[in-house]
Amino acid sequence: MIFSSFSALRARFKAPVVIAALAAFSASAQAPGDVRVALVIGNAAYAGPLALQNPASDAGAMAGALKGLGFEVVELRNGSKAQMNDAVTKVREILKGKQGIGMLYYAGHGLQMDARNYMVPLDANLTRGADVVAQTVDVGSVIEAFRAAGNRMNILVLDACRDNPFGGITTGKGLAPLDAPSGTFLAYATAPGNVAEDGDVKSGNGLYTQYLLQELKKPQARIEDVFKRVRLSVRKASNGRQIPWESTSLEDDFQFNDGRLVAQARPTGDQLAAEFNREKADWDRIKDSTRADDFYAFLEKFPNGTVSEAALARLNQLNKPVLVVQGADGTGKPFVRDAFRAGDEFDMAYTGSDMRLLQKVTRVTADEVLVSSVISTNGKVDSGNPTVEVFDRAGGSRGIQGVFSYNPPQNFFPAEQVKVGEHWKFGYETSPLMAGMPGQRINGESRVLARETVKVEAGTFQAFKVESVTYSSLDSSMRTRCLFWLTPDLPTYIKMECGTTSRARPQPVLSKVELARVKRGA
């Protein structure tokens, strides 16, 4: 939670602040012979009350857009199960052995059963749970077909989260959360466990597909930029009722507009700093705004920028989503990560030491949170004044009272629920409030590596393992790498390991901290 605690610095905890980031990319182009094939399915003409307005026209428009982008398209509208299975087989055979790029776009009814997602053919007659497996098409079968073909990259887009008419036989509404398999980008029209809007007659397309089509037509259509902008547009148009969701395991980036496959490379500190400098002026113009539209516009311009996570956190303050996201364990989690509560207490134990950092949320207002921190050694609390860190309500640190202020606020963790494969950049400036302390700029990037079960003194947690790398303007050779573990149920980390290297110290000295005790406030 509080990587920047001045008390911890006084206790010789050397690891610099860890925040979050996204990778930059090198320019190794896709080979000219690469094959791109898309399976596009739109099912709308279901019987009676199951009928949908737009999926068939969604499929037609998407097929046209993808052909224009150089995809070979296998298109099916209003298909039976046999026709859908035949289309999957056809795409697999086209791609087989070519190390190509496979894509599935599906619009229509979809449902989940026992943590698997299914596309519903027109001839399905679902009256009991057993009918789902027998009469629908498992999304996993498409993933398996792509794997069998030996594809370099797979993209699955599921605009299949319409209001579920089969609720009595499924294990939840909407679609189930999945971590994307290796080499796959998985996109949902809305967050797991929620439903998407079908759109209206005038638009001719479902809400999600409407904006996806717009983004695919833009130049420099990087896959992650495309889907982040779609997410933002759908969120704004639906007033937060529908927010798309992505999970990725891609090791390469993909450009829709020219078909380039671009290898990801970790950004250098200088690259991150240059990007931060380009965004900072725009951020400073809106940072005190109370208009959500200002932050929508900023994120439209910088969907993957070094200040984007701070802007998203601010947007969530001004226009907080009320969605509940289905977690991997089947329970509901707020779309926005859990925030601090008055009376929260978090005790952090330093591995290999009898020192602890004792943190308590002492005040929560509509605008800010105050967290007091003191050091204890051998059970004896440091008699010095506690350090007080000021956070905004989205969890971003505004600074340490009397020591530093931060611009933009330090968002240690993603503002929203974490997903495996997620990665983001960050940047902020520190302004010293105490004589003799230097200001600096911190830049970095982070990514979610995996889910793990983590046992610490405070208990056993299902957690996300996150890697962060940070750079300081005070020393261009300094690089800090941290691993920290997050659980959806707490606004703090449960474990952290950090090491810093520089020209003067080429071998890192590791600092390790674990959550020893937690007490949640009201």
Side-chain angles (χ1 to χ4, degrees):
M1 175 177 66
I2 305 170
F3 301 149
S4 53
S5 169
F6 191 50
S7 294
L9 291 176
R10 286 191 288 116
R12 300 186 300 280
F13 180 47
K14 302 293 185 181
V17 176
V18 180
I19 345 263
L22 174 73
F25 302 92
S26 68
S28 60
Q30 174 186 14
D34 279 352
V35 173
R36 287 173 283 153
V37 181
L39 171 58
V40 176
I41 301 174
N43 288 341
Y46 296 96
L50 300 182
L52 294 171
Q53 183 69 50
N54 287 315
S57 57
D58 287 342
M62 185 59 62
L66 292 175
K67 288 176 184 176
L69 292 169
F71 280 80
E72 180 177 349
V73 175
V74 174
E75 182 183 358
L76 175 64
R77 301 194 209 182
N78 296 319
S80 65
K81 179 178 180 180
Q83 290 171 325
M84 291 173 68
N85 284 334
D86 288 345
V88 172
T89 300
K90 181 177 181 179
V91 169
R92 183 193 67 204
E93 292 305 307
I94 295 172
L95 284 163
K96 191 172 182 179
K98 297 184 174 67
Q99 294 186 317
I101 296 169
M103 180 172 176
L104 167 69
Y105 169 86
Y106 173 72
H109 279 306
L111 52 84
Q112 61 169 291
M113 175 70 71
D114 298 327
R116 299 186 70 87
N117 293 319
Y118 297 88
M119 300 177 287
V120 181
L122 256 65
D123 58 350
N125 181 23
L126 308 180
T127 60
R128 57 195 180 116
D131 295 334
V132 174
V133 175
Q135 300 184 31
T136 67
V137 178
D138 191 339
V139 172
S141 69
V142 182
I143 295 174
E144 175 57 27
F146 285 164
R147 187 203 64 77
N151 292 350
R152 296 173 65 188
M153 176 181 290
N154 302 311
I155 305 165
L156 284 82
V157 181
L158 303 175
D159 193 357
C161 316
R162 268 76 170 187
D163 192 15
N164 179 11
F166 313 105
I169 62 173
T170 63
T171 53
K173 67 178 182 178
L175 297 180
L178 296 177
D179 293 338
S182 177
T184 300
F185 190 97
L186 178 61
Y188 293 162
T190 193
N194 289 271
V195 295
E197 297 183 12
D198 188 28
D200 52 36
V201 176
K202 183 178 179 181
S203 69
N205 296 115
L207 183 64
Y208 178 74
T209 295
Q210 173 187 336
Y211 288 106
L212 179 55
L213 289 167
Q214 289 181 15
E215 290 300 325
L216 290 176
K217 296 174 184 176
K218 293 181 179 180
Q220 298 303 313
R222 286 184 59 246
I223 187 168
E224 291 200 35
D225 287 352
V226 164
F227 285 97
K228 283 194 174 182
R229 288 192 173 112
V230 171
R231 185 196 312 169
L232 203 66
S233 296
V234 171
R235 171 179 173 167
K236 185 176 181 181
S238 68
N239 197 27
R241 295 186 303 275
Q242 178 178 337
I243 304 180
W245 186 268
E246 300 86 38
S247 177
T248 178
S249 64
L250 297 186
E251 296 182 0
D252 295 321
D253 192 31
F254 178 68
Q255 303 261 4
F256 274 104
N257 55 300
D258 60 11
R260 283 189 303 131
L261 204 60
V262 184
Q264 295 185 14
R266 289 296 177 94
T268 66
D270 288 343
Q271 289 169 335
L272 290 167
E275 187 171 346
F276 176 75
N277 290 337
R278 289 193 295 269
E279 300 172 31
K280 183 66 163 42
D282 286 45
W283 168 257
D284 284 341
R285 280 193 290 270
I286 68 166
K287 65 182 181 180
D288 297 320
S289 174
T290 57
R291 297 179 65 250
D293 283 353
D294 289 335
F295 296 92
Y296 276 117
F298 182 91
L299 289 164
E300 171 69 23
K301 185 175 182 180
F302 304 110
N304 288 299
T306 62
V307 188
S308 297
E309 200 64 31
L312 182 60
R314 180 64 177 145
L315 176 61
N316 285 341
Q317 285 182 277
L318 297 171
N319 189 7
K320 185 175 181 179
V322 295
L323 293 182
V324 174
V325 180
Q326 180 182 335
D329 59 0
T331 61
K333 313 289 184 186
F335 189 86
V336 176
R337 278 178 51 82
D338 195 15
F340 299 115
R341 306 173 191 170
D344 276 354
E345 295 181 11
F346 306 101
D347 295 354
M348 302 293 178
Y350 293 84
T351 303
S353 167
D354 51 15
M355 185 177 69
R356 295 198 178 197
L357 178 65
L358 311 179
Q359 305 165 332
K360 184 173 182 178
V361 178
T362 57
R363 188 177 76 177
V364 176
T365 70
D367 183 58
E368 67 180 19
V369 177
L370 299 186
V371 180
S372 174
S373 301
V374 295
I375 293 291
S376 74
T377 305
N378 288 323
K380 183 178 180 180
V381 175
D382 189 326
S383 59
N385 292 328
T387 297
V388 178
E389 192 159 10
V390 183
F391 290 80
D392 62 31
R393 290 303 306 273
S397 175
R398 294 173 173 170
I400 303 171
Q401 285 185 348
V403 182
F404 285 109
S405 64
Y406 304 132
N407 180 29
Q410 302 176 48
N411 287 89
F412 301 135
F413 314 133
E416 300 170 348
Q417 288 299 332
V418 183
K419 304 178 283 294
V420 172
E422 186 175 4
H423 47 122
W424 62 95
K425 306 170 192 170
F426 64 85
Y428 65 95
E429 292 177 342
T430 71
S431 298
L433 304 174
M434 179 182 291
M437 299 193 73
Q440 62 179 314
R441 183 191 61 250
I442 299 291
N443 291 108
E445 56 93 14
S446 294
R447 63 185 60 234
V448 183
L449 302 179
R451 298 177 194 262
E452 292 185 355
T453 300
V454 179
K455 186 175 182 179
V456 295
E457 187 176 336
T460 300
F461 298 88
Q462 298 302 311
F464 291 91
K465 181 181 180 180
V466 181
E467 178 192 48
S468 286
V469 178
T470 63
Y471 304 90
S472 168
S473 62
L474 294 179
D475 182 350
S476 61
S477 73
M478 182 180 292
R479 179 181 183 271
T480 298
R481 178 181 181 269
C482 294
L483 297 174
F484 58 91
W485 286 260
L486 301 178
T487 176
D489 302 316
L490 294 176
T492 182
Y493 61 86
I494 58 174
K495 182 179 176 182
M496 181 176 68
E497 300 176 358
C498 287
T500 300
T501 59
S502 66
R503 278 189 295 266
R505 190 174 64 185
Q507 294 300 320
V509 177
L510 292 180
S511 298
K512 299 182 180 182
V513 189
E514 294 184 354
L515 184 64
R517 185 183 69 90
V518 58
K519 176 184 176 184
R520 296 310 309 270

